Amino acid sequence: MAFVEKHPILAATLAIFTTTALLLAGNGMNPVWPVMWIAFIPVLLFASETTSWLLAAAAAALSIFLGSLTMLYYLHFVLRVPIMAWLIPFSIASLLFAAGVLLFRALLHRGSVFSAVIALPAFWSVVEYLASFIPANGTAGSLAYTQERFLPILQVASLTGPWGITFLLLLFPTALATGLYLRRRNLPHATLVLGSTLTVLAAAILFGAIRLAAPTSPQSIKVGLLDTDTVIFAKQPSEMQHLIQTYAEQAENLAHQGATVIVMPEKTGLLLSSNTQTIDPILQSVTNRTGATLVLGVLHVVPQLHSTKRASTLRIGPSPPTTSSTCSRRLNPT
């Protein structure tokens, strides 16, 4: 592309800001799912056309990093976690994505077209899979979550988990960027690449549509969501007890309306092990009276034996001996 060759810095800047803008709209806490299918096209097209691998890597890394600013707002200003909880993981993610883009570019320039098309989707799917073993992370941050409202594609998770959705989500822009790169160099190859990719996507959507249309059991579970619409974090034991008492009353109201599972806010407050004997009975009494299961997110601090931090889902019972953990406390009827 002549424009990229003549104005590489300007082209890189345009690619960065376009992809960033699309990521800010298509990713985050309220993603616009169709946008994610085209979000990576500008930076991938730039990487395929530029002669500078350094510019290609910088464009890819900056696009991902700047596109994560919505998560900075959520993590730091909403959940009140340290800014490093955003800076470190997304810096690493940016560098890894840049490596995947460079792999795509190198294979494409060598003429390994189909290897180039699947390289980035496969690489990033593996990155997400390995990241799922990090206790505090799990699958959080997977691109697959942007497709929660695209129900046919969402059915792919029944076969592959979220990583299959991530693969398809990156396969489309990679194939399109490859096709655009090849259109002046080898039109039959470009047509074959795009045709093959569209066939795979069509098959995935068809599978999802058939699965959604299949008859299902009439059994259903009514779930209640306790949404406060405000950021509340109780730091003192007295504040925590008052907050839990308020949540318990609202949870009981939801249970009387038929909810059998009630999900309360995440990061509700600071819960010391010494205070569980006061807090747990408040919620346990609700489950005993209503038969509902309650799920609550707390920052649980327990005696220091190991300097680790992990996310977990717990039933009421003895707490594991860790320093601090972000937990979901789950209470079932006794």
Side-chain angles (χ1 to χ4, degrees), residues 49-273:
E49 295 286 352
T50 185
T51 57
S52 171
W53 68 267
L54 188 58
L55 276 178
L62 284 173
S63 297
I64 291 292
F65 187 74
L66 295 175
S68 70
L69 289 176
T70 53
M71 295 307 298
L72 169 63
Y73 171 78
Y74 175 70
L75 291 172
H76 184 62
F77 295 100
V78 176
L79 295 186
R80 312 281 181 87
V81 299
I83 196 170
M84 297 304 290
W86 164 79
L87 182 61
I88 293 175
F90 282 102
S91 295
I92 295 172
S94 299
L95 295 176
L96 289 172
F97 187 79
V101 170
L102 288 180
L103 178 61
F104 154 74
R105 177 181 176 275
L107 290 170
L108 184 60
H109 287 185
R110 286 179 53 186
S112 303
V113 175
F114 283 96
S115 296
V117 170
I118 67 171
L120 177 61
F123 175 78
W124 196 251
S125 298
V126 170
V127 168
E128 286 193 355
Y129 175 74
L130 294 177
S132 70
F133 290 97
I134 300 174
N137 183 45
T139 58
S142 172
L143 296 177
Y145 288 112
T146 64
Q147 303 302 298
E148 287 179 342
R149 297 182 182 179
F150 191 8
L151 297 184
I153 280 292
L154 202 61
Q155 307 309 306
V156 173
S158 66
L159 299 177
T160 64
W163 308 288
I165 300 174
T166 295
F167 181 87
L168 294 175
L169 197 56
L170 285 172
L171 181 67
F172 177 72
T174 305
L176 188 57
T178 300
L180 292 173
Y181 172 79
L182 292 174
R183 74 189 187 284
R184 290 179 288 104
R185 298 169 175 85
N186 192 329
L187 185 58
H189 248 167
T191 304
L192 183 60
V193 166
L194 289 174
S196 301
T197 300
L198 292 176
T199 299
V200 171
L201 290 175
I205 293 172
L206 180 62
F207 164 77
I210 293 173
R211 193 169 189 269
L212 287 171
T216 58
S217 169
Q219 182 181 5
S220 62
I221 298 175
K222 194 170 184 179
V223 178
L225 176 63
L226 202 163
D227 188 356
T228 62
D229 288 328
T230 56
V231 178
I232 301 174
F233 186 86
K235 297 181 179 180
Q236 302 299 325
S238 58
E239 294 176 354
M240 187 66 173
Q241 185 169 353
H242 175 72
L243 185 62
I244 293 300
Q245 184 64 54
T246 303
Y247 285 173
E249 294 170 0
Q250 297 177 9
E252 188 159 0
N253 290 335
L254 289 174
H256 290 322
Q257 295 175 39
T260 56
V261 177
I262 300 169
V263 181
M264 290 176 278
E266 183 182 17
K267 289 287 185 70
T268 301
L270 186 65
L271 179 63
L272 304 177
S273 284

